[in-house]
Amino acid sequence: MTKDLTITKEYKLFINGKWVDALSGRTFESINPGTGETNAIVAEAGPEDVDLAVKAARKAFEKSSWALMTPADRGRLLYQAALKMREKTEFLAEVESRESGLTIRETLNIAIPETISVLEFYAGLANKVQGETLATSPDRLNFTLKEPLGVIGAIVPWNFPLMLAMWKIAPALAAGNTLVIKPAEQTPSSILELMKIFQEVGIPEGVINIVPGFGAVTGNALASHPDIDKLAFTGSTNTGRIIMQAAAKNLKPLSLELGGKSPNIIFSDADIQNAVNMSTFGIYFAQGQVCAAGSRLLVQDAVYDDFMHAFLKKTQSIKVGNQLDMSTLMGPQVSNAQLKRIESYVEIGQKEGAHLLTGGERYEGAGNGYYYTPTILENVTNDMTVAKEEIFGPVVSVIRFKDEEDALTKANESIYGLAAGVTLSEAYAWLAV
Ligand code: NAI
Ligand code: MG
């Protein structure tokens, strides 16, 4: 589909406005999960590179033209980057799909356009940051002044690499901060391509620094760096815990966006076909690798058979295949490690008494990638592992309920609280996170 844009397959670190090798000279490979082949060779930042990146971000925050830029100019610069992203939507979609396994339909229609919308939103917000004046006695003036925090350390996951990075980049930049970003080791390419766009629109050196590498070394170096002012993380609950501990040691504020096991509730008065469509989207979108996935499907007894009949049919009709094929509805999982996690969950589910209604195996029809079949586990109860833990794959756990009270009890029986869905007759409610 993309004709005139070649895909760079070698990337360096981006520190202080320059593309540089890691001081150690180390590199790692990212994989195309649709084929299992190498997708890109990427410089691997060590702690010493992370330190240089933080120093560059500090200097840019305090001394560069960025520090002196008016909010309106900052907003304009972000907006120019958004415009360039729009021009390169197809290219970015392809880069993102090749490495993450998101289907080209997903990146072209949702992931990339939504990422651009996020940037546009914050571009518009840059000059609308306001404080307050507070009522007080006549001899006092009491007001709040909002200022940028400083250097933001961002650690992002692989499921929506560009969007989840942008959720951190755009607000941080709009407010006048600088950033050091560690992409997920599986998916650094699209974020590095985004950096080229920011370069083209003239972002001052040091404002954004990108340090690809692995969590335990590169991520840990950033999370425990004493000279960042805030950490922002999206990823697994376990890693969130580790990052919180690292931040606690230096008393750094942080924001965490972690996992979910979200209930998607189908009441007996739902429009069945609509409920089926939204439930399908809810669990199979992005190969089930979504923090807000509707991974616990709660279905009311009164419509159980009708709903499940249609849902099974729809599930079995999903076309699995290479993520770059426009007709593919479900692509590969992001990695072999994730594929194995999914397999083990489905096995545990069955051992604990869940019934495998469909799927439950690798998909072999699309080559050497990490493909899994859309999978339904029935007769699940909330005490089972597959109802408690985030599987992060195309596996839905179906739980029956009797009435509204039963639905609420079962929906809330989870350590998570990220999202929830209720199927109404015109259902989009479940997208509301
Ligand atoms: P992860 O949470 O370990 O990785 C996310 C990011 O954190 C990556 O950039 C990684 O390099 C970094 N990281 C890992 N360990 C770190 C450490 N000790 N210090 C600093 N940074 C560190 O997620 P992983 O292992 O790739 O996936 C495992 C499971 O996590 C998935 O099956 C899924 O359940 C969940 N997950 C949830 C996501 C969400 O959006 N809520 C996104 C990705 C994974
Ligand atoms: Mg991990």
Side-chain angles (χ1 to χ4, degrees):
M1 48 165 298
T2 309
K3 294 169 274 335
D4 49 347
L5 295 158
T6 51
I7 292 173
T8 312
K9 294 204 158 196
E10 281 185 30
Y11 294 100
K12 299 191 178 203
L13 316 177
F14 192 77
I15 297 176
N16 203 26
K18 292 179 191 68
W19 296 97
V20 293
D21 290 322
L23 287 174
S24 69
R26 289 172 68 115
T27 59
F28 67 100
E29 292 183 0
S30 76
I31 305 294
N32 174 338
T35 62
E37 287 164 3
T38 301
N39 185 57
I41 297 166
V42 185
E44 182 185 336
E48 59 286 356
D49 302 298
V50 171
D51 190 48
L52 287 178
V54 173
K55 287 198 169 87
R58 173 65 54 200
K59 197 177 85 197
F61 179 68
E62 282 170 2
K63 296 210 176 74
S64 74
S65 55
W66 184 248
L68 300 172
M69 200 179 278
T70 66
D73 285 343
R74 274 204 309 268
R76 196 171 303 114
L77 191 140
L78 297 189
Y79 203 78
Q80 279 164 358
L83 282 176
K84 289 243 180 243
M85 285 185 80
R86 277 210 188 280
E87 287 166 17
K88 290 181 122 181
T89 295
E90 284 199 5
F91 171 72
L92 292 169
E94 190 174 316
V95 171
E96 180 104 319
S97 280
R98 284 171 71 109
E99 207 172 60
S100 67
L102 288 171
T103 66
I104 195 75
R105 295 164 73 111
E106 289 167 339
T107 52
L108 205 52
N109 299 318
I110 301 178
I112 303 302
E114 290 296 319
T115 302
I116 301 169
S117 295
V118 169
L119 183 54
E120 287 168 344
F121 176 87
Y122 284 101
L125 213 55
N127 61 357
K128 294 169 196 73
V129 178
Q130 295 173 341
E132 290 169 61
T133 49
L134 309 167
T136 183
S137 58
D139 60 344
R140 302 210 175 138
L141 175 63
N142 200 333
F143 65 91
T144 59
L145 175 67
K146 293 192 181 160
E147 297 179 299
L149 271 169
V151 178
I152 311 299
I155 299 176
V156 294
W158 41 260
N159 49 338
F160 291 92
L162 210 51
M163 176 148 63
L164 297 179
M166 191 60 87
W167 283 3
K168 307 193 187 322
I169 295 169
L173 294 183
N177 301 286
T178 59
L179 287 143
V180 178
I181 304 163
K182 199 210 72 74
E185 54 272 29
Q186 298 86 350
T187 55
S189 295
S190 54
I191 295 169
L192 292 158
E193 289 295 343
L194 172 69
M195 191 61 239
K196 295 180 186 170
I197 292 176
F198 275 113
Q199 263 189 306
E200 279 175 46
V201 299
I203 193 133
E205 64 181 31
V207 174
I208 308 177
N209 304 273
I210 306 183
V211 287
F214 294 82
V217 177
T218 320
N220 179 56
L222 185 56
S224 52
H225 200 288
D227 200 33
I228 53 160
D229 297 294
K230 177 178 175 160
L231 266 173
F233 170 75
T234 303
S236 71
T237 303
N238 271 339
T239 300
R241 229 171 247 130
I242 295 169
I243 286 179
M244 200 169 197
Q245 283 162 1
K249 284 196 189 121
N250 298 321
L251 294 175
K252 301 298 181 189
L254 83 166
S255 49
L256 301 171
E257 206 255 280
L258 309 175
K261 194 74 198 179
S262 301
N264 178 21
I265 310 172
I266 315 298
F267 283 104
S268 58
D269 60 351
D271 172 321
I272 293 291
Q273 199 48 52
N274 212 347
V276 165
N277 291 345
M278 291 314 293
S279 303
T280 305
F281 175 74
I283 188 61
Y284 304 124
F285 173 60
Q287 293 62 247
Q289 301 165 155
V290 183
C291 54
S295 55
R296 282 188 304 142
L297 184 55
L298 272 58
V299 186
Q300 191 157 19
D301 283 331
V303 281
Y304 190 85
D305 292 342
D306 284 353
F307 174 85
M308 287 305 291
H309 177 77
F311 182 56
L312 173 63
K313 218 169 122 194
K314 181 91 179 172
T315 295
Q316 289 174 333
S317 78
I318 291 173
K319 182 169 181 277
V320 183
N322 187 283
Q323 73 269 29
L324 295 177
D325 184 337
M326 214 29 168
S327 67
T328 294
L329 288 178
M330 223 180 78
Q333 308 308 130
V334 72
S335 65
N336 204 25
Q338 285 299 119
L339 183 63
K340 287 186 181 152
R341 272 175 68 103
I342 294 164
E343 285 182 318
S344 97
Y345 271 118
V346 171
E347 206 173 296
I348 292 168
Q350 287 172 276
K351 276 204 192 113
E352 292 180 4
H355 167 62
L356 177 67
L357 184 62
T358 188
E361 55 188 9
R362 293 184 183 208
Y363 178 76
E364 308 284 358
N368 288 328
Y370 314 129
Y371 300 90
Y372 201 70
T373 47
T375 299
I376 303 175
L377 292 173
E378 242 187 329
N379 300 340
V380 174
T381 49
N382 273 333
D383 57 350
M384 293 182 191
T385 306
V386 292
K388 288 198 270 198
E389 295 180 16
E390 188 173 48
I391 299 176
F392 231 56
V395 180
V396 69
S397 299
V398 185
I399 300 167
R400 297 177 77 121
F401 71 89
K402 200 164 75 224
D403 52 24
E404 189 177 328
E405 200 191 324
D406 192 27
L408 282 174
T409 305
K410 285 177 174 158
N412 286 327
E413 223 167 29
S414 170
I415 61 159
Y416 290 111
L418 192 59
V422 180
T423 299
L424 310 168
S425 44
E426 284 300 327
Y428 249 92
W430 119 253
L431 283 174
V433 177

